[in-house]
């Protein structure tokens, strides 16, 4: 695809890095010459210096024959204006805009073709907030991902000695979880990927990706480690967009304290948050943390815009007795450095939000893409279309499909109909519901199945997509 990316910040550079590796023709537009030069030195792409909302700059970037515009600058106005220009002047087919403000969600008509002409909008801050909420709901998990409109959940868990399944073979899970169908999609041992079979032994320290229907995932997680007690007391460091959104969502269910460096911003937060104790101060102030009983906190979240500040305050909070610490870190090198050390979870905002963008770039009907293990692996939810003649997967058993080594069909969500009798009228109607299937080698793929595929390496993604594409015979 020929893709134009407006904005060379954290989101834009992360998108460019992912898409360049998949042999797309990428042009990045930004006003920051040094940032563009650094990106061009590192990646095989074109750069254009200028304002992305300028028709001349858009033409220079190749908008006349581009397939996709991804407007992810820090300015909502620039992104919206660029989408309008791309549609009106260049008839650019697909336009994606990053919108940081919550206001636009209340007025979706502003994004239709008669107005700003935005095909898809994304909000990385909201996606990171949702991601953090899932981690809080599963305190023992390293990553929590949902598929099939929430019907299927995948969690990454560090196996701990003493867990019922730790030290046993994977096939023992069926006996332990009577009546529950689950799948261990992959195991990462000392950073090496293992696609397990029934004889694979789970060892302490393994990073295990397990998947099941959402209502059963806690029981599966409990097999790999003792379940942590539910969170009650949470401290948030940083009252920016993410910190504020998270506090607004959590304050009715948890005891919250929020530390904000800017006194002006702290006053804004205290007037808009109703049950959160807002403190104006430095998140690396040891005396402040001690005075606010950091050792009583079940969770400490470092969510400022400063990577070094987040790392230092998280390390300090952990040393002073906080139960679990999570740090938001933009620089990928820092994430890899601190993960699995004293900091329990290091989160890269760009890696969390990249999935919603990739879902619109992937070939075939891709519903969701989730980046795993900080971009090393990927999980996709694909909708299967066609019939046996036009599809390489429909009507075939999984063992016949020929998935590349390192890729696994982990689950299927299938729409099915059930006859239901209405008591008063004795009338029978058919209701549809989504059925979760943990497939085996002889499971047959049907049309319109939502198939969840785990790829232990990003290199496998293109081959998996080609496998699920519909042939030319399908109309």
């Amino acid at each position: 695809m020929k893709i134009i990316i407006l904005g060379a910040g954290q989101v834009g550079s992360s998108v460019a890095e992912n898409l360049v590796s998949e042999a797309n023709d990428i042009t990045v537009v930004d006003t920051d010459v040094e940032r563009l030069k650094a990106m061009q030195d590192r990646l095989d792409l074109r750069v254009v210096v200028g304002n992305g909302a300028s028709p001349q700059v858009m033409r220079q970037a190749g908008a006349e024959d581009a397939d996709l515009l991804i407007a992810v600058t820090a300015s909502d106005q620039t992104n919206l204006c660029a989408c309008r220009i791309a549609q009106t002047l260049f008839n650019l087919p697909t336009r994606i805009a990053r919108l940081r403000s919550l206001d636009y969600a209340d007025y979706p008509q502003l994004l239709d073709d008669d107005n700003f002409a935005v095909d898809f909008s994304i909000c990385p801050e909201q996606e990171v907030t949702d991601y953090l909420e899932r981690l809080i709901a599963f305190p023992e998990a390293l990553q929590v991902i949902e598929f099939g409109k929430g019907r299927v959940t995948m969690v990454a868990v560090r196996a701990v000695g003493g867990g019922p399944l730790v030290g046993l073979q994977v096939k023992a899970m069926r006996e332990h979880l009577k009546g529950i169908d689950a799948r261990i999609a992959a195991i990462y041992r000392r950073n090496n990927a293992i696609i397990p079979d029934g004889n694979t032994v789970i060892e302490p320290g393994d990073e295990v990706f397990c998947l099941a229907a959402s209502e059963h995932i806690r029981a599966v997680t409990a097999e790999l480690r003792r379940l942590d007690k539910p969170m009650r007391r949470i401290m948030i460091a940083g009252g920016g967009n993410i910190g504020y959104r998270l506090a607004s969502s959590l304050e009715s269910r948890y005891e919250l304290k929020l530390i904000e460096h800017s006194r002006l911003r702290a006053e804004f937060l205290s007037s808009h948050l109703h049950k959160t104790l807002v403190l104006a101060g430095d998140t690396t102030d040891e005396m402040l943390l001690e005075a606010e009983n950091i050792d009583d906190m079940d969770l400490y979240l470092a969510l400022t815009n400063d990577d070094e500040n987040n790392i230092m305050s998280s390390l300090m909070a952990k040393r002073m007795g906080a139960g679990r610490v999570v740090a938001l870190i933009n620089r990928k090198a820092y994430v890899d450095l601190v993960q699995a050390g004293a900091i329990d979870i290091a989160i890269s905002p760009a890696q969390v939000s990249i999935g919603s963008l990739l879902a619109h770039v992937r070939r075939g009907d891709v519903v969701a893409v989730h980046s795993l293990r900080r971009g090393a692996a990927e999980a996709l939810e694909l909708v299967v279309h066609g019939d046996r003649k036009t599809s390489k997967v429909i009507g075939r058993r999984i063992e016949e499909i020929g998935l590349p080594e390192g890729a696994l069909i982990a689950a299927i969500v299938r729409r099915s109909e059930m006859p239901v009798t209405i008591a008063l009228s004795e009338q029978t109607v058919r209701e549809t519901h989504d059925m979760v299937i943990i497939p085996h080698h002889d499971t047959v793929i049907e049309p319109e199945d939502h198939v969840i595929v785990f790829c232990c390496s990003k290199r496998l993604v293109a081959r998996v997509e080609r496998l699920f594409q519909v042939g030319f015979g399908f109309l």
Side-chain angles (χ1 to χ4, degrees):
M1 295 181 73
K2 187 169 183 180
I3 302 170
I4 299 172
I5 299 173
L6 306 185
Q10 290 293 341
V11 177
S13 60
S14 179
V15 172
E17 188 173 343
N18 274 271
L19 298 181
V20 161
S21 67
E22 298 170 13
N24 293 291
D25 181 2
I26 307 293
T27 301
V28 179
V29 179
D30 201 280
T31 55
D32 190 323
V33 178
E34 291 302 317
R35 186 178 284 174
L36 288 176
K37 185 177 184 305
M39 187 180 289
Q40 195 170 34
D41 289 344
R42 196 165 47 88
L43 303 170
D44 180 21
L45 45 72
R46 285 182 64 230
V47 298
V48 173
V49 180
N51 186 332
S54 159
Q56 187 59 39
V57 170
M58 194 86 79
R59 189 184 306 277
Q60 192 180 346
E64 290 171 317
D65 60 348
D67 301 301
L68 173 65
L69 172 72
I70 302 176
V72 287
T73 73
S75 165
D76 289 355
Q77 290 75 19
T78 298
N79 297 337
L80 290 169
C81 187
C83 288
R84 178 74 266 177
I85 291 169
Q87 200 256 8
T88 303
L89 299 185
F90 304 106
N91 198 27
L92 201 152
T94 307
R95 304 159 302 276
I96 300 174
R98 172 191 186 180
L99 299 176
R100 305 177 77 180
S101 173
L102 292 170
D103 292 348
Y104 296 106
D106 297 329
Y107 304 99
Q109 64 271 27
L110 291 175
L111 306 183
D112 63 26
D113 281 354
D114 293 329
N115 292 290
F116 286 114
V118 176
D119 292 309
F120 307 103
S121 63
I122 64 163
C123 179
E125 291 86 356
Q126 187 58 48
E127 288 177 24
V128 172
T129 302
D130 295 340
Y131 184 89
L132 289 167
E133 284 198 60
R134 290 195 295 272
L135 283 177
I136 292 168
F138 290 86
E140 55 285 330
L142 299 171
Q143 199 165 2
V144 184
I145 298 162
E146 291 182 343
F147 298 97
K149 298 180 180 177
R151 289 288 290 116
V152 178
T153 298
M154 176 184 285
V155 297
V157 180
R158 183 84 59 195
V160 176
L165 265 183
V166 180
L168 301 181
Q169 294 177 327
V170 168
K171 62 186 177 185
M173 184 167 66
R174 184 180 291 270
E175 186 180 331
H176 281 229
L177 296 169
K178 293 191 188 318
I180 295 177
D181 222 355
R183 167 66 48 80
I184 292 181
I187 295 172
Y188 285 83
R189 184 174 296 158
R190 293 180 286 277
N191 284 327
N192 295 316
I194 300 169
I195 297 295
D197 58 28
N199 297 318
T200 304
V201 175
I202 300 169
E203 297 181 3
D206 283 352
E207 188 175 334
V208 183
F209 283 85
C210 47
L211 179 143
S214 296
E215 61 268 25
H216 298 145
I217 197 65
R218 277 191 198 281
V220 178
T221 306
E223 292 295 309
L224 298 165
R225 59 177 295 150
R226 179 180 56 81
L227 291 182
D228 294 346
K229 64 178 182 179
M231 302 285 181
R232 287 197 308 116
R233 292 180 290 270
I234 299 173
M235 182 178 285
I236 298 173
N241 279 336
I242 295 173
Y244 173 48
R245 287 171 190 251
L246 187 62
S248 298
S249 177
L250 297 180
E251 64 177 356
S252 62
R253 292 170 285 152
Y254 300 90
E255 296 176 27
L256 288 191
K257 293 183 179 181
L258 188 153
I259 302 175
E260 168 57 40
H261 179 71
S262 164
R263 180 167 290 276
L264 191 63
R265 178 68 177 176
E267 290 173 358
F268 167 85
L269 293 168
S270 63
S271 63
H272 285 77
L273 296 171
H274 309 296
K275 296 183 177 180
T276 303
L277 175 61
V278 179
L279 305 160
D282 188 344
T283 57
T284 58
D285 183 344
E286 192 170 357
M287 293 179 66
L288 175 61
L289 294 178
E290 187 176 5
E292 294 304 324
N293 302 314
I294 187 66
D295 55 330
D296 280 342
M297 295 296 152
D298 298 313
L299 177 66
Y300 178 85
L301 296 157
L303 308 179
T304 75
N305 292 322
D306 187 314
D307 286 355
E308 288 82 1
N309 205 27
N310 288 343
I311 292 170
M312 293 306 297
S313 70
S314 295
L315 292 172
M316 187 178 296
K318 191 70 172 180
R319 181 177 60 81
M320 296 176 71
R324 192 167 175 82
V325 297
V326 175
L328 206 62
I329 302 175
N330 287 292
R331 292 185 63 176
K332 188 175 184 296
Y334 284 3
V335 175
D336 295 336
L337 188 66
V338 304
Q339 181 77 35
I343 294 174
D344 295 296
I345 301 177
I347 295 174
S348 165
Q351 287 299 330
V352 170
S353 58
I354 191 76
S356 57
L357 279 168
L358 292 179
H360 301 304
V361 180
R362 296 284 190 229
R363 301 172 187 85
D365 192 351
V366 180
V367 177
V369 178
H370 293 285
S371 179
L372 309 172
R373 300 200 84 247
R374 303 171 294 285
E378 208 162 276
L380 301 91
E381 179 182 343
L382 306 106
V383 184
V384 184
H385 298 300
D387 55 31
R388 189 176 173 86
K389 291 182 179 178
T390 58
S391 167
K392 298 174 186 175
V393 298
I394 289 177
R396 292 165 176 83
R397 298 191 303 273
I398 285 177
E399 63 187 0
E400 299 176 315
I401 290 174
L403 284 166
E405 187 176 351
L408 170 78
I409 294 179
I412 297 169
V413 179
R414 180 173 294 165
R415 178 59 59 90
S416 64
E417 291 188 348
M418 291 180 59
V420 178
T421 302
I422 301 174
L424 293 177
S425 63
E426 296 187 356
Q427 180 184 2
T428 300
V429 297
R430 300 189 73 82
E431 288 188 354
T432 59
H433 74 287
D434 291 330
M435 178 171 57
V436 177
I437 301 169
I438 302 299
H440 302 285
H441 66 94
D442 56 350
T443 302
V444 176
I445 305 293
E446 297 182 3
E448 307 307 313
D449 279 352
H450 285 237
V451 179
I452 295 146
V453 183
F454 184 97
C455 298
C456 69
S457 168
K458 274 180 59 66
R459 294 192 304 271
L460 303 171
V461 170
R463 292 168 63 187
V464 169
E465 287 173 348
R466 284 195 296 271
L467 194 61
F468 279 83
Q469 277 184 294
V470 178
F472 289 113
F474 177 57
L475 296 175

